[in-house]
Amino acid sequence: MNHVSRNSNENIDFLFQAILSLRDTEECRAFFSDLCTMQELVLLSQRLQVARLLLAGETYERIRAQVSVSSATITRISTELQYGSGGYRSVLGRLQAEGRAPLPEEEA
């Protein structure tokens, strides 16, 4: 059982339902702009980028050169990829299958 499931409550579930109700990127952008600070959004996006790079086989050194995160953050994300709930893999796999998350070597 993951840490969100263990600590789930009505407020967290309501947040997830709100996110699932978003219809497109513009609605998502507006909601998260209201919900999070710019720094929080940057941190979340960096974590997703690190997960994508780890799944692509990038080394910690190359990831740190591309994304401004600590080795501890990379390790934490790597641990989630190995032992977590599968959320990163699920989302990134779906985005890649849809052509919306090219691997690093495919980027210009």
Side-chain angles (χ1 to χ4, degrees):
M1 182 177 286
N2 66 53
H3 56 276
V4 173
S5 294
R6 285 192 306 268
N7 298 307
S8 188
N9 65 39
E10 289 180 26
N11 292 331
I12 292 173
D13 290 343
F14 186 69
L15 172 63
F16 293 156
Q17 290 302 314
I19 293 168
L20 288 169
S21 77
L22 299 170
R23 293 188 179 105
D24 56 32
T25 302
E26 288 306 313
E27 264 191 24
C28 192
R29 184 176 285 114
F31 177 72
F32 278 92
S33 175
D34 290 347
L35 182 67
C36 301
T37 67
M38 188 55 155
Q39 183 62 28
E40 290 167 333
L41 288 173
V42 167
L43 292 172
L44 290 171
S45 69
Q46 286 174 332
R47 288 181 177 191
L48 190 58
Q49 178 72 356
V50 168
R52 186 173 73 93
L53 293 168
L54 285 168
L55 288 172
E58 293 289 345
T59 65
Y60 279 34
E61 293 79 25
R62 286 188 51 131
I63 292 170
R64 287 194 65 209
Q66 295 177 55
V67 186
S68 181
V69 295
S70 68
S71 292
T73 297
I74 299 169
T75 299
R76 188 168 36 251
I77 294 165
S78 179
T79 300
E80 288 300 323
L81 286 170
Q82 292 176 0
Y83 305 108
S85 304
Y88 282 125
R89 287 182 190 279
S90 176
V91 168
L92 290 168
R94 186 174 304 126
L95 290 173
Q96 187 174 358
E98 295 171 358
R100 296 191 288 164
L103 294 175
E105 55 270 6
E106 295 173 336
E107 295 177 345

XYZ file of all heavy atoms in Angstrom:
850
model
N 0.841 -1.185 0.000
C 0.000 0.000 0.000
C 0.884 1.245 0.000
O 1.815 1.343 0.765
C -0.900 -0.036 1.232
C -1.852 1.140 1.304
S -2.981 1.075 2.706
C -4.091 -0.189 2.165
N 0.603 2.213 -0.878
C 1.425 3.416 -0.961
C 1.052 4.429 0.115
O 0.033 4.302 0.782
C 1.333 4.024 -2.364
C -0.061 4.541 -2.689
O -0.629 5.315 -1.948
N -0.603 4.110 -3.811
N 1.911 5.429 0.287
C 1.706 6.396 1.361
C 0.455 7.247 1.179
O -0.147 7.662 2.145
C 2.956 7.252 1.588
C 3.441 7.973 0.379
N 4.262 7.379 -0.547
C 3.215 9.221 -0.060
C 4.520 8.250 -1.509
N 3.906 9.358 -1.244
N 0.012 7.497 -0.048
C -1.220 8.261 -0.241
C -2.421 7.421 0.167
O -3.330 7.904 0.837
C -1.355 8.767 -1.695
C -2.712 9.407 -1.925
C -0.254 9.767 -2.015
N -2.430 6.130 -0.194
C -3.533 5.263 0.202
C -3.612 5.128 1.711
O -4.694 5.140 2.295
C -3.379 3.877 -0.425
O -3.505 3.951 -1.814
N -2.458 4.994 2.359
C -2.425 4.857 3.821
C -2.937 6.107 4.515
O -3.520 6.029 5.583
C -1.003 4.568 4.302
C -0.526 3.168 4.043
C 0.764 2.892 4.797
N 1.815 3.866 4.531
C 2.735 3.748 3.581
N 2.752 2.696 2.792
N 3.659 4.672 3.423
N -2.708 7.261 3.916
C -3.063 8.526 4.543
C -4.247 9.211 3.868
O -4.480 10.394 4.087
C -1.852 9.467 4.549
C -0.718 8.902 5.360
O -0.892 8.547 6.509
N 0.435 8.790 4.746
N -4.976 8.466 3.057
C -6.076 9.057 2.310
C -7.162 9.569 3.246
O -7.435 8.995 4.291
C -6.658 8.027 1.346
O -7.605 8.640 0.502
N -7.743 10.667 2.844
C -8.896 11.194 3.555
C -9.816 11.862 2.543
O -9.504 11.919 1.350
C -8.469 12.139 4.687
C -7.788 13.393 4.181
O -8.179 13.972 3.173
N -6.762 13.839 4.882
N -10.931 12.352 3.018
C -11.915 12.945 2.113
C -11.346 14.125 1.341
O -11.678 14.309 0.169
C -13.150 13.378 2.896
C -13.987 12.221 3.385
C -15.215 12.685 4.157
O -15.686 13.820 3.919
O -15.692 11.910 4.985
N -10.506 14.931 1.957
C -9.949 16.099 1.274
C -9.017 15.699 0.141
O -9.040 16.305 -0.936
C -9.225 17.001 2.263
C -10.168 17.665 3.241
O -11.329 17.913 2.934
N -9.682 17.939 4.430
N -8.188 14.691 0.366
C -7.286 14.215 -0.691
C -8.101 13.595 -1.823
O -7.850 13.870 -2.999
C -6.250 13.229 -0.126
C -5.286 13.958 0.816
C -5.480 12.540 -1.262
C -4.327 13.049 1.560
N -9.087 12.793 -1.469
C -9.944 12.198 -2.493
C -10.676 13.270 -3.296
O -10.826 13.157 -4.515
C -10.946 11.225 -1.864
C -10.285 9.962 -1.338
O -9.128 9.678 -1.733
O -10.920 9.259 -0.530
N -11.115 14.335 -2.618
C -11.791 15.433 -3.304
C -10.835 16.128 -4.273
O -11.220 16.472 -5.399
C -12.363 16.426 -2.291
C -13.192 17.511 -2.909
C -14.422 17.233 -3.491
C -12.742 18.820 -2.919
C -15.186 18.231 -4.067
C -13.495 19.835 -3.495
C -14.720 19.535 -4.075
N -9.588 16.315 -3.853
C -8.583 16.892 -4.747
C -8.408 16.027 -5.983
O -8.389 16.525 -7.111
C -7.245 17.054 -4.018
C -6.058 17.470 -4.895
C -6.283 18.847 -5.513
C -4.773 17.434 -4.093
N -8.280 14.719 -5.802
C -8.114 13.816 -6.941
C -9.328 13.879 -7.869
O -9.186 13.868 -9.099
C -7.866 12.385 -6.482
C -6.552 12.183 -5.767
C -6.395 11.135 -4.879
C -5.469 13.022 -5.972
C -5.188 10.936 -4.218
C -4.262 12.836 -5.322
C -4.127 11.790 -4.441
N -10.526 13.934 -7.300
C -11.728 14.045 -8.131
C -11.734 15.361 -8.906
O -12.137 15.396 -10.074
C -12.994 13.912 -7.262
C -13.205 12.523 -6.713
C -13.289 11.473 -7.803
O -13.982 11.645 -8.807
N -12.554 10.382 -7.623
N -11.282 16.430 -8.268
C -11.201 17.724 -8.958
C -10.242 17.636 -10.146
O -10.548 18.119 -11.242
C -10.752 18.817 -7.989
N -9.085 17.008 -9.931
C -8.105 16.863 -11.013
C -8.684 16.023 -12.144
O -8.544 16.358 -13.324
C -6.781 16.283 -10.475
C -6.110 17.297 -9.543
C -5.850 15.886 -11.621
C -4.960 16.744 -8.722
N -9.349 14.935 -11.788
C -9.942 14.073 -12.812
C -11.059 14.764 -13.595
O -11.374 14.358 -14.716
C -10.474 12.790 -12.176
C -9.412 11.805 -11.715
C -10.027 10.699 -10.865
C -8.668 11.224 -12.903
N -11.641 15.826 -13.037
C -12.726 16.529 -13.727
C -12.214 17.505 -14.786
O -12.992 17.986 -15.606
C -13.597 17.283 -12.719
O -12.965 18.475 -12.291
N -10.913 17.805 -14.782
C -10.362 18.763 -15.741
C -10.490 18.222 -17.157
O -10.217 17.058 -17.420
C -8.904 19.068 -15.389
C -8.714 19.704 -14.007
C -7.240 19.753 -13.641
C -9.349 21.076 -13.948
N -10.903 19.074 -18.077
C -11.232 18.630 -19.429
C -10.109 18.793 -20.450
O -10.062 18.078 -21.434
C -12.463 19.376 -19.918
C -13.700 19.011 -19.140
C -14.938 19.612 -19.769
N -16.102 19.226 -19.006
C -16.748 20.034 -18.181
N -16.346 21.277 -18.023
N -17.800 19.608 -17.513
N -9.225 19.762 -20.235
C -8.174 19.995 -21.219
C -6.999 20.713 -20.556
O -7.044 21.042 -19.374
C -8.703 20.782 -22.427
C -9.340 22.116 -22.060
O -8.903 22.756 -21.079
O -10.282 22.530 -22.762
N -5.967 20.943 -21.347
C -4.750 21.559 -20.821
C -5.014 22.957 -20.276
O -4.454 23.335 -19.248
C -3.664 21.608 -21.920
O -3.427 20.284 -22.368
C -2.365 22.192 -21.390
N -5.871 23.725 -20.930
C -6.149 25.083 -20.461
C -6.852 25.066 -19.105
O -6.503 25.848 -18.216
C -6.967 25.861 -21.493
C -6.166 26.250 -22.718
C -4.889 27.018 -22.383
O -4.944 27.961 -21.566
O -3.833 26.662 -22.922
N -7.842 24.171 -18.918
C -8.495 24.038 -17.617
C -7.491 23.599 -16.560
O -7.496 24.085 -15.437
C -9.635 23.018 -17.679
C -10.974 23.608 -17.888
C -12.092 22.599 -17.678
O -11.930 21.584 -16.958
O -13.168 22.850 -18.240
N -6.630 22.674 -16.936
C -5.613 22.164 -16.030
C -4.662 23.286 -15.624
O -4.344 23.453 -14.441
C -4.856 21.022 -16.702
S -3.822 20.079 -15.595
N -4.231 24.057 -16.596
C -3.324 25.178 -16.326
C -3.984 26.182 -15.379
O -3.370 26.635 -14.410
C -2.917 25.848 -17.636
C -1.902 26.962 -17.467
C -1.445 27.536 -18.794
N -0.528 26.598 -19.442
C -0.781 25.946 -20.580
N -1.913 26.141 -21.215
N 0.097 25.125 -21.097
N -5.241 26.526 -15.626
C -5.951 27.488 -14.786
C -6.118 26.954 -13.364
O -5.884 27.675 -12.385
C -7.316 27.812 -15.398
N -6.509 25.686 -13.232
C -6.711 25.098 -11.909
C -5.410 25.050 -11.119
O -5.358 25.496 -9.969
C -7.308 23.687 -12.050
C -7.486 22.977 -10.738
C -8.487 23.373 -9.862
C -6.672 21.933 -10.381
C -8.657 22.724 -8.644
C -6.835 21.271 -9.170
C -7.837 21.679 -8.296
N -4.359 24.533 -11.743
C -3.089 24.419 -11.027
C -2.450 25.780 -10.771
O -1.735 25.962 -9.788
C -2.125 23.471 -11.744
C -2.404 22.033 -11.418
C -3.247 21.283 -12.211
C -1.842 21.442 -10.294
C -3.524 19.963 -11.897
C -2.106 20.124 -9.971
C -2.960 19.382 -10.769
N -2.740 26.759 -11.611
C -2.258 28.123 -11.378
C -2.885 28.689 -10.112
O -2.229 29.391 -9.339
C -2.595 29.003 -12.579
O -2.235 30.335 -12.336
N -4.144 28.379 -9.898
C -4.823 28.819 -8.679
C -4.411 27.984 -7.466
O -4.287 28.507 -6.361
C -6.346 28.717 -8.834
C -6.925 29.730 -9.794
O -6.206 30.682 -10.165
O -8.096 29.568 -10.189
N -4.196 26.701 -7.670
C -3.927 25.769 -6.569
C -2.503 25.863 -6.039
O -2.276 25.793 -4.829
C -4.207 24.336 -7.040
C -4.029 23.221 -6.013
C -5.075 23.338 -4.909
C -4.134 21.863 -6.702
N -1.528 26.005 -6.934
C -0.116 25.917 -6.561
C 0.623 27.211 -6.856
O 0.254 27.960 -7.761
C 0.572 24.804 -7.370
S -0.131 23.170 -7.146
N 1.713 27.417 -6.136
C 2.615 28.506 -6.489
C 3.422 28.076 -7.715
O 3.493 26.879 -8.038
C 3.596 28.821 -5.341
O 4.480 27.696 -5.171
C 2.871 29.128 -4.043
N 4.049 29.025 -8.361
C 4.887 28.699 -9.510
C 6.016 27.768 -9.095
O 6.351 26.824 -9.815
C 5.438 29.972 -10.153
C 6.137 29.709 -11.444
S 5.017 28.811 -12.546
C 5.667 29.239 -14.082
N 6.613 27.993 -7.936
C 7.694 27.138 -7.447
C 7.215 25.705 -7.232
O 7.926 24.751 -7.554
C 8.289 27.704 -6.149
C 9.459 26.907 -5.616
C 10.644 26.861 -6.574
O 10.858 27.766 -7.365
N 11.405 25.792 -6.513
N 6.014 25.536 -6.695
C 5.466 24.188 -6.508
C 5.268 23.489 -7.848
O 5.583 22.305 -7.991
C 4.143 24.248 -5.739
C 4.308 24.633 -4.287
C 3.011 24.996 -3.599
O 2.051 25.444 -4.273
O 2.946 24.839 -2.360
N 4.773 24.212 -8.832
C 4.589 23.633 -10.171
C 5.927 23.245 -10.794
O 6.050 22.182 -11.413
C 3.840 24.602 -11.081
C 2.364 24.783 -10.765
C 1.775 25.900 -11.618
C 1.603 23.488 -10.961
N 6.933 24.103 -10.624
C 8.264 23.794 -11.145
C 8.798 22.529 -10.492
O 9.315 21.629 -11.167
C 9.227 24.989 -10.944
C 10.672 24.579 -11.189
C 8.835 26.139 -11.857
N 8.658 22.425 -9.171
C 9.152 21.236 -8.463
C 8.436 19.967 -8.920
O 9.074 18.929 -9.139
C 9.005 21.412 -6.950
C 9.904 22.473 -6.325
C 9.522 22.702 -4.859
C 11.360 22.099 -6.447
N 7.127 20.035 -9.091
C 6.379 18.870 -9.560
C 6.809 18.478 -10.979
O 7.005 17.296 -11.279
C 4.876 19.153 -9.523
C 4.239 19.265 -8.144
C 2.803 19.770 -8.256
C 4.288 17.931 -7.419
N 6.964 19.482 -11.835
C 7.359 19.191 -13.211
C 8.779 18.622 -13.269
O 9.072 17.748 -14.089
C 7.238 20.435 -14.094
O 8.199 21.410 -13.743
N 9.657 19.088 -12.385
C 11.017 18.549 -12.339
C 11.004 17.078 -11.914
O 11.742 16.270 -12.464
C 11.889 19.352 -11.377
C 12.290 20.695 -11.909
C 13.037 21.530 -10.891
O 12.846 21.387 -9.682
N 13.881 22.426 -11.374
N 10.167 16.735 -10.962
C 10.080 15.336 -10.526
C 9.623 14.441 -11.666
O 10.157 13.351 -11.859
C 9.138 15.200 -9.337
C 9.720 15.758 -8.070
C 8.773 15.593 -6.918
N 9.386 16.083 -5.697
C 8.898 15.879 -4.506
N 7.787 15.194 -4.356
N 9.510 16.361 -3.446
N 8.644 14.888 -12.412
C 8.169 14.095 -13.551
C 9.263 13.964 -14.610
O 9.466 12.890 -15.180
C 6.912 14.731 -14.137
C 6.169 13.910 -15.174
C 5.734 12.562 -14.619
C 4.973 14.691 -15.696
N 9.990 15.045 -14.847
C 11.101 15.016 -15.801
C 12.183 14.040 -15.351
O 12.716 13.268 -16.159
C 11.684 16.423 -15.973
C 12.867 16.521 -16.888
C 12.496 16.354 -18.352
O 11.360 16.089 -18.704
N 13.481 16.478 -19.211
N 12.505 14.049 -14.061
C 13.509 13.118 -13.532
C 13.036 11.680 -13.723
O 13.809 10.819 -14.162
C 13.814 13.411 -12.044
C 14.627 12.282 -11.408
C 14.559 14.737 -11.912
N 11.783 11.402 -13.427
C 11.254 10.044 -13.612
C 11.358 9.625 -15.075
O 11.767 8.506 -15.387
C 9.803 9.973 -13.139
N 11.024 10.522 -15.965
C 11.106 10.228 -17.409
C 12.537 9.919 -17.818
O 12.798 8.964 -18.552
C 10.564 11.412 -18.210
C 10.465 11.154 -19.702
C 9.758 12.304 -20.395
N 10.588 13.466 -20.466
C 11.384 13.757 -21.500
N 11.437 12.959 -22.537
N 12.108 14.837 -21.500
N 13.485 10.703 -17.319
C 14.890 10.488 -17.663
C 15.429 9.194 -17.050
O 16.197 8.468 -17.692
C 15.725 11.695 -17.226
C 15.440 12.987 -17.996
C 16.088 14.178 -17.310
C 15.883 12.873 -19.442
N 15.033 8.897 -15.819
C 15.454 7.624 -15.202
C 14.928 6.438 -15.996
O 15.665 5.473 -16.247
C 14.968 7.540 -13.750
C 15.729 8.383 -12.737
C 14.964 8.431 -11.414
C 17.137 7.822 -12.525
N 13.669 6.509 -16.406
C 13.091 5.417 -17.196
C 13.767 5.279 -18.553
O 13.796 4.194 -19.128
C 11.585 5.613 -17.364
C 10.757 5.380 -16.107
C 9.311 5.801 -16.334
C 10.839 3.928 -15.674
N 14.328 6.382 -19.045
C 15.049 6.357 -20.321
C 16.480 5.863 -20.153
O 17.226 5.755 -21.121
C 15.043 7.747 -20.953
N 16.887 5.578 -18.890
C 18.217 5.044 -18.644
C 19.300 6.070 -18.412
O 20.488 5.733 -18.409
N 18.919 7.317 -18.193
C 19.915 8.369 -17.954
C 20.574 8.187 -16.586
O 19.953 7.688 -15.650
C 19.264 9.751 -18.015
C 18.765 10.146 -19.380
C 19.868 10.446 -20.380
O 21.029 10.622 -19.970
O 19.556 10.512 -21.574
N 21.825 8.588 -16.484
C 22.556 8.527 -15.222
C 22.178 9.716 -14.346
O 21.681 10.733 -14.842
C 24.075 8.564 -15.464
O 24.414 9.842 -16.040
C 24.533 7.435 -16.373
N 22.462 9.583 -13.059
C 22.203 10.679 -12.133
C 22.944 11.931 -12.579
O 22.398 13.030 -12.526
C 22.657 10.308 -10.717
C 21.700 9.443 -9.930
C 20.901 8.477 -10.532
C 21.607 9.592 -8.562
C 20.055 7.678 -9.795
C 20.752 8.797 -7.806
C 19.974 7.851 -8.430
O 19.130 7.075 -7.695
N 24.172 11.789 -13.030
C 24.972 12.945 -13.439
C 24.333 13.669 -14.629
O 24.270 14.898 -14.651
C 26.401 12.516 -13.794
C 27.199 12.008 -12.609
C 26.860 10.557 -12.228
O 26.388 9.776 -13.092
O 27.047 10.210 -11.051
N 23.885 12.895 -15.606
C 23.248 13.517 -16.782
C 21.926 14.165 -16.410
O 21.573 15.213 -16.941
C 23.073 12.497 -17.892
C 24.412 12.169 -18.560
C 24.231 11.313 -19.765
N 23.226 11.898 -20.659
C 23.386 12.079 -21.949
N 24.524 11.731 -22.515
N 22.434 12.573 -22.685
N 21.199 13.531 -15.489
C 19.933 14.119 -15.047
C 20.196 15.437 -14.334
O 19.533 16.438 -14.613
C 19.162 13.141 -14.146
C 18.694 11.939 -14.975
C 17.969 13.840 -13.478
C 18.128 10.794 -14.160
N 21.173 15.454 -13.441
C 21.491 16.692 -12.708
C 21.956 17.793 -13.657
O 21.736 18.971 -13.397
C 22.552 16.434 -11.640
C 21.939 15.648 -10.478
C 22.783 15.627 -9.261
N 22.899 16.972 -8.715
C 23.932 17.407 -8.026
N 24.961 16.620 -7.794
N 23.970 18.620 -7.561
N 22.582 17.425 -14.771
C 23.009 18.412 -15.753
C 21.815 18.998 -16.510
O 21.875 20.133 -16.985
C 24.000 17.786 -16.738
N 20.726 18.215 -16.619
C 19.556 18.654 -17.376
C 18.466 19.277 -16.512
O 17.717 20.134 -16.973
C 18.950 17.466 -18.133
C 19.853 16.896 -19.205
C 19.222 15.688 -19.861
O 18.107 15.762 -20.361
N 19.927 14.568 -19.851
N 18.366 18.808 -15.267
C 17.291 19.247 -14.377
C 17.923 19.710 -13.068
O 18.742 19.007 -12.501
C 16.287 18.100 -14.099
C 15.109 18.605 -13.288
C 15.815 17.445 -15.393
N 17.522 20.845 -12.599
C 18.111 21.410 -11.386
C 17.500 20.767 -10.138
O 16.640 21.342 -9.474
C 17.881 22.921 -11.365
O 18.456 23.477 -10.210
N 17.968 19.535 -9.836
C 17.504 18.812 -8.646
C 18.710 18.192 -7.953
O 19.761 18.006 -8.557
C 16.486 17.699 -8.988
C 15.206 18.292 -9.544
C 17.072 16.686 -9.944
N 18.515 17.842 -6.701
C 19.589 17.214 -5.935
C 19.654 15.716 -6.215
O 18.692 15.121 -6.703
C 19.358 17.437 -4.437
O 18.222 16.706 -4.015
N 20.775 15.128 -5.864
C 20.903 13.671 -5.971
C 19.891 12.980 -5.076
O 19.383 11.911 -5.420
C 22.319 13.227 -5.588
O 23.236 13.682 -6.544
N 19.579 13.588 -3.934
C 18.588 13.003 -3.023
C 17.212 12.927 -3.687
O 16.496 11.932 -3.526
C 18.513 13.812 -1.734
N 16.853 13.959 -4.432
C 15.574 13.945 -5.142
C 15.565 12.860 -6.204
O 14.586 12.125 -6.353
C 15.286 15.321 -5.771
O 15.166 16.285 -4.727
C 14.022 15.313 -6.608
N 16.649 12.733 -6.943
C 16.740 11.691 -7.964
C 16.631 10.320 -7.316
O 15.906 9.438 -7.810
C 18.047 11.822 -8.774
C 18.089 13.170 -9.500
C 18.181 10.676 -9.767
C 19.434 13.506 -10.114
N 17.311 10.129 -6.198
C 17.252 8.854 -5.478
C 15.833 8.565 -5.006
O 15.343 7.437 -5.126
C 18.221 8.863 -4.280
O 19.547 9.046 -4.783
C 18.144 7.577 -3.484
N 15.164 9.555 -4.468
C 13.791 9.377 -3.993
C 12.876 8.954 -5.139
O 12.045 8.056 -5.000
C 13.307 10.675 -3.344
C 11.976 10.579 -2.652
C 11.638 11.784 -1.777
N 12.072 13.080 -2.262
C 13.053 13.804 -1.721
N 13.717 13.377 -0.680
N 13.381 14.974 -2.225
N 13.034 9.590 -6.293
C 12.204 9.258 -7.450
C 12.565 7.870 -7.977
O 11.683 7.087 -8.344
C 12.327 10.345 -8.530
C 11.730 11.641 -7.989
C 11.648 9.925 -9.829
C 12.075 12.876 -8.776
N 13.841 7.553 -7.991
C 14.276 6.222 -8.410
C 13.671 5.143 -7.509
O 13.217 4.098 -7.991
C 15.805 6.136 -8.382
O 16.234 4.854 -8.750
N 13.635 5.415 -6.212
C 13.043 4.476 -5.263
C 11.556 4.299 -5.534
O 11.033 3.171 -5.512
C 13.266 4.965 -3.809
O 14.677 5.060 -3.583
C 12.642 4.021 -2.802
N 10.866 5.382 -5.831
C 9.442 5.284 -6.172
C 9.244 4.477 -7.451
O 8.299 3.695 -7.557
C 8.809 6.670 -6.316
C 8.628 7.401 -5.019
C 7.726 6.673 -4.030
O 6.739 6.040 -4.440
O 8.007 6.755 -2.827
N 10.124 4.660 -8.426
C 10.022 3.884 -9.661
C 10.205 2.392 -9.396
O 9.564 1.558 -10.025
C 11.053 4.368 -10.688
C 10.750 5.702 -11.348
C 11.961 6.180 -12.153
C 9.518 5.604 -12.236
N 11.082 2.075 -8.459
C 11.356 0.668 -8.158
C 10.328 0.046 -7.228
O 9.938 -1.103 -7.412
C 12.749 0.527 -7.546
C 13.866 0.824 -8.510
C 15.232 0.778 -7.839
O 15.354 0.534 -6.648
N 16.272 1.012 -8.623
N 9.912 0.778 -6.201
C 9.093 0.188 -5.142
C 7.755 0.883 -4.917
O 7.001 0.480 -4.034
C 9.877 0.202 -3.817
C 11.217 -0.459 -3.915
C 12.387 0.302 -3.895
C 11.330 -1.837 -4.059
C 13.634 -0.305 -3.991
C 12.569 -2.448 -4.170
C 13.709 -1.667 -4.127
O 14.934 -2.265 -4.238
N 7.477 1.914 -5.676
C 6.261 2.703 -5.457
C 5.023 2.063 -6.048
O 4.971 0.863 -6.328
N 4.038 2.866 -6.263
C 2.719 2.417 -6.708
C 2.604 2.240 -8.215
O 1.573 1.777 -8.695
C 1.667 3.436 -6.270
O 1.733 3.637 -4.891
N 3.613 2.669 -8.963
C 3.556 2.557 -10.413
C 2.956 3.767 -11.103
O 2.721 3.741 -12.310
N 2.717 4.820 -10.347
C 2.102 6.014 -10.930
C 2.936 6.681 -12.001
O 2.427 7.037 -13.069
N 4.228 6.859 -11.725
C 5.109 7.454 -12.740
C 5.098 6.608 -14.014
O 4.939 7.136 -15.116
C 6.553 7.541 -12.242
C 6.871 8.664 -11.286
C 7.450 8.397 -10.053
C 6.646 9.993 -11.626
C 7.794 9.423 -9.174
C 6.979 11.024 -10.762
C 7.548 10.727 -9.534
O 7.886 11.747 -8.677
N 5.306 5.312 -13.864
C 5.362 4.422 -15.028
C 4.060 4.448 -15.820
O 4.069 4.473 -17.045
C 5.675 2.994 -14.601
C 7.100 2.794 -14.171
C 7.358 1.322 -13.802
N 8.635 1.157 -13.168
C 9.785 1.070 -13.827
N 9.810 1.133 -15.133
N 10.919 0.923 -13.162
N 2.955 4.441 -15.126
C 1.650 4.445 -15.781
C 1.450 5.702 -16.614
O 1.135 5.637 -17.808
C 0.562 4.329 -14.715
O -0.710 4.414 -15.285
N 1.652 6.851 -15.990
C 1.433 8.124 -16.687
C 2.441 8.326 -17.806
O 2.071 8.684 -18.928
C 1.480 9.299 -15.681
C 1.560 10.631 -16.386
C 0.277 9.244 -14.765
N 3.707 8.094 -17.531
C 4.732 8.306 -18.554
C 4.602 7.306 -19.690
O 4.808 7.654 -20.858
C 6.125 8.264 -17.928
C 6.430 9.460 -17.026
C 7.697 9.227 -16.218
C 6.523 10.744 -17.829
N 4.233 6.071 -19.374
C 4.002 5.085 -20.430
C 2.848 5.488 -21.329
O 2.925 5.376 -22.559
N 1.773 5.985 -20.726
C 0.619 6.428 -21.504
C 0.986 7.625 -22.377
O 0.645 7.666 -23.572
C -0.521 6.795 -20.556
C -1.814 7.131 -21.269
C -2.979 7.349 -20.304
N -3.151 6.194 -19.447
C -3.181 6.246 -18.110
N -3.044 7.402 -17.484
N -3.357 5.159 -17.395
N 1.693 8.592 -21.809
C 2.096 9.767 -22.594
C 3.024 9.381 -23.743
O 2.900 9.903 -24.853
C 2.758 10.804 -21.696
C 1.833 11.526 -20.718
C 2.639 12.391 -19.768
C 0.796 12.353 -21.455
N 3.939 8.471 -23.480
C 4.852 8.036 -24.536
C 4.087 7.296 -25.635
O 4.324 7.522 -26.818
C 5.960 7.160 -23.973
C 7.010 6.821 -25.008
C 8.186 6.072 -24.417
O 8.244 5.826 -23.228
N 9.112 5.714 -25.252
N 3.157 6.440 -25.245
C 2.354 5.700 -26.231
C 1.533 6.651 -27.100
O 1.295 6.381 -28.278
C 1.442 4.705 -25.524
N 1.126 7.761 -26.525
C 0.355 8.770 -27.257
C 1.244 9.746 -28.014
O 0.756 10.666 -28.655
C -0.551 9.538 -26.283
C -1.622 8.676 -25.652
C -2.374 9.388 -24.538
O -2.040 10.555 -24.227
O -3.291 8.768 -23.966
N 2.571 9.562 -27.912
C 3.509 10.448 -28.606
C 3.699 11.793 -27.942
O 4.194 12.731 -28.555
N 3.318 11.907 -26.671
C 3.421 13.193 -25.966
C 4.578 13.236 -24.981
O 4.751 14.233 -24.288
C 2.117 13.498 -25.237
C 0.961 13.672 -26.221
C -0.259 14.233 -25.564
N -0.895 13.245 -24.697
C -1.795 13.558 -23.779
N -2.151 14.794 -23.594
N -2.345 12.619 -23.042
N 5.391 12.186 -24.908
C 6.540 12.170 -23.991
C 7.700 11.462 -24.669
O 8.059 10.349 -24.317
C 6.181 11.480 -22.678
N 8.296 12.115 -25.673
C 9.417 11.466 -26.361
C 10.584 11.248 -25.417
O 10.774 12.008 -24.471
C 9.784 12.457 -27.473
C 9.277 13.772 -26.980
C 8.067 13.472 -26.135
N 11.326 10.200 -25.665
C 12.531 9.949 -24.883
C 13.536 11.055 -25.168
O 13.492 11.694 -26.233
C 13.108 8.586 -25.220
C 12.231 7.395 -24.813
C 12.848 6.098 -25.298
C 12.015 7.361 -23.316
N 14.482 11.309 -24.269
C 15.425 12.425 -24.428
C 16.136 12.454 -25.765
O 16.296 13.504 -26.354
C 16.406 12.232 -23.273
C 15.633 11.473 -22.253
C 14.693 10.598 -23.024
N 16.570 11.300 -26.272
C 17.305 11.300 -27.528
C 16.418 11.629 -28.725
O 16.905 11.943 -29.779
C 18.028 9.975 -27.763
C 17.135 8.759 -27.700
C 17.024 8.181 -26.297
O 17.548 8.785 -25.346
O 16.407 7.135 -26.145
N 15.104 11.604 -28.541
C 14.180 11.946 -29.627
C 13.896 13.435 -29.665
O 13.306 13.936 -30.588
C 12.860 11.191 -29.450
C 13.024 9.690 -29.581
C 11.725 8.971 -29.238
O 10.902 9.541 -28.499
O 11.554 7.848 -29.702
N 14.308 14.156 -28.611
C 14.032 15.583 -28.560
C 15.020 16.351 -29.413
O 16.129 15.930 -29.623
C 14.104 16.088 -27.111
C 13.016 15.491 -26.245
C 13.127 15.932 -24.799
O 14.188 16.455 -24.420
O 12.155 15.752 -24.064
N 14.584 17.518 -29.874
C 15.464 18.367 -30.690
C 16.428 19.138 -29.831
O 16.226 19.398 -28.705
C 14.615 19.318 -31.525
